[in-house]
């Protein structure tokens, strides 16, 4: 049974066969400003049932629970929940949740981590300019170009520091912390990365973000993650 569920944070369309389409066109009421900005920029997302672990009907609406490793955006950050849809009609939420659960059983979808990305990353350019570095993805490499704001430790790596995408094992993103005056950052890890890392401003493998560019940095990080884990 198909259905279209409208919530205060967007619309979920279930085709009754195996695909959910999410349109983040709600009022964004009650959301943290960063979460609202992320949802507004996501536009529409397509979630196949194979990406789901379950669908929950909450006291306020509907919530999709994805398998680990299914969505690169969720893998980069769990600080922002883009799969909670409060303010939805309870009966419709019940019907969609029940129907999706039946499809999950019929298709024998495991609750274990997905072996490949099942949700596309948000669109992002191959270049991102931060506060102390510019990152460029090209020719199978991520290249750091340190700007004049970069610390001496970063500049000691050279004017250009190329890292083969095959050597990157993880991508980390953190938004700015306004209360503490800390900027956001994006950084990578390789097999040679030490367990104890310097602060992002002194870490050659990190880019400190410019103010108010958290969403752009997040989308760049998400797209980068799909480059290193196809």
């Amino acid at each position: 049974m198909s259905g279209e569920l409208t919530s205060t944070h967007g619309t979920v369309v279930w085709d009754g066969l195996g695909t959910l389409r999410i349109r983040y066109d709600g009022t964004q009421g009650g959301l943290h400003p960063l979460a609202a900005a992320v949802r507004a920029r996501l536009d529409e997302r397509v979630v196949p049932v194979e990406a789901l672990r379950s669908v929950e009907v909450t006291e306020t609406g509907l919530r999709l629970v994805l398998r680990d490793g299914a969505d690169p955006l969720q893998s980069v950050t769990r600080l922002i929940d883009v799969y909670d849809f409060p303010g939805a009609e309870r009966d419709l939420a019940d019907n969609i949740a029940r129907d999706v659960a039946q499809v999950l059983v019929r298709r024998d979808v495991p609750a274990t981590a997905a072996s490949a990305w099942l949700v596309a990353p948000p669109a992002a350019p191959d270049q991102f300019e931060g506060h102390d570095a510019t990152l460029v993805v090209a020719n199978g490499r991520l290249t750091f170009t340190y700007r004049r704001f970069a610390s001496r430790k970063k500049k000691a790596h050279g004017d250009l520091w190329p890292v083969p995408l095959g050597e990157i094992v993880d991508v980390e993103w953190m938004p700015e912390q306004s209360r503490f005056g800390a900027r956001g950052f994006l950084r990578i890890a390789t097999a040679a990365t030490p367990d104890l890392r310097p602060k992002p401003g002194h870490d050659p493998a990190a880019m400190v973000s410019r103010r108010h560019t958290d969403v752009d940095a997040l989308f760049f990080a998400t797209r980068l993650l799909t480059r290193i884990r196809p």
Side-chain angles (χ1 to χ4, degrees):
M1 181 188 73
S2 60
E4 181 170 327
L5 180 143
T6 302
S7 80
T8 56
H9 294 169
T11 301
V12 180
V13 180
W14 166 240
D15 67 357
L17 300 174
T19 302
L20 291 148
R21 290 185 177 273
I22 300 170
R23 295 194 298 268
Y24 294 98
D25 55 2
T27 63
Q28 313 296 321
L31 285 173
H32 184 278
L34 178 58
V38 169
R39 285 175 177 247
R41 288 272 299 276
L42 283 174
D43 193 24
E44 181 178 89
R45 304 199 88 198
V46 178
V47 180
V49 72
E50 287 79 10
L52 297 174
R53 193 167 76 229
S54 64
V55 177
E56 300 175 351
V57 178
T58 66
E59 292 183 0
T60 58
L62 188 76
R63 185 169 185 270
L64 308 181
V65 181
L66 270 67
R67 298 167 60 193
D68 289 341
D71 178 9
L73 178 66
Q74 198 173 59
S75 293
V76 170
T77 179
R78 294 190 179 274
L79 298 175
I80 300 170
D81 187 354
V82 297
Y83 293 113
D84 187 29
F85 300 93
E89 181 184 336
R90 179 61 182 257
D91 289 344
L92 182 55
D94 281 332
N95 290 338
I96 291 177
R98 183 167 53 250
D99 202 41
V100 171
Q102 291 173 352
V103 175
L104 286 171
V105 172
R106 284 202 302 269
R107 296 194 180 184
D108 195 24
V109 178
T112 53
S115 58
W117 303 119
L118 299 172
V119 181
D126 289 331
Q127 178 172 321
F128 186 78
E129 185 174 309
H131 172 71
D132 62 355
T134 297
L135 306 183
V136 178
V137 178
N139 302 317
R141 299 179 300 181
L142 172 69
T143 300
F144 287 76
T145 302
Y146 301 111
R147 305 181 67 210
R148 64 187 181 91
F149 302 106
S151 65
R152 278 185 284 183
K153 187 170 184 179
K154 290 187 176 185
K155 290 180 178 179
H157 256 56
D159 291 335
L160 295 175
W161 181 43
V163 184
L165 294 179
E167 293 183 6
I168 302 173
V169 297
D170 200 15
V171 181
E172 181 185 1
W173 167 85
M174 186 64 64
E176 62 183 75
Q177 305 293 319
S178 300
R179 288 187 303 167
F180 306 105
R183 291 179 182 268
F185 64 86
L186 183 160
R187 66 180 171 187
I188 62 169
T190 68
T193 299
D195 292 334
L196 186 60
R197 303 185 68 165
K199 292 182 178 180
H202 300 286
D203 188 346
M207 176 212 71
V208 176
S209 304
R210 292 176 296 162
R211 296 292 187 192
H212 313 304
T213 61
D214 286 331
V215 179
D216 295 305
L218 171 60
F219 286 10
F220 183 91
T222 301
R223 181 74 180 94
L224 177 60
L225 186 62
T226 64
R227 298 286 187 89
I228 66 172
R229 300 181 199 165

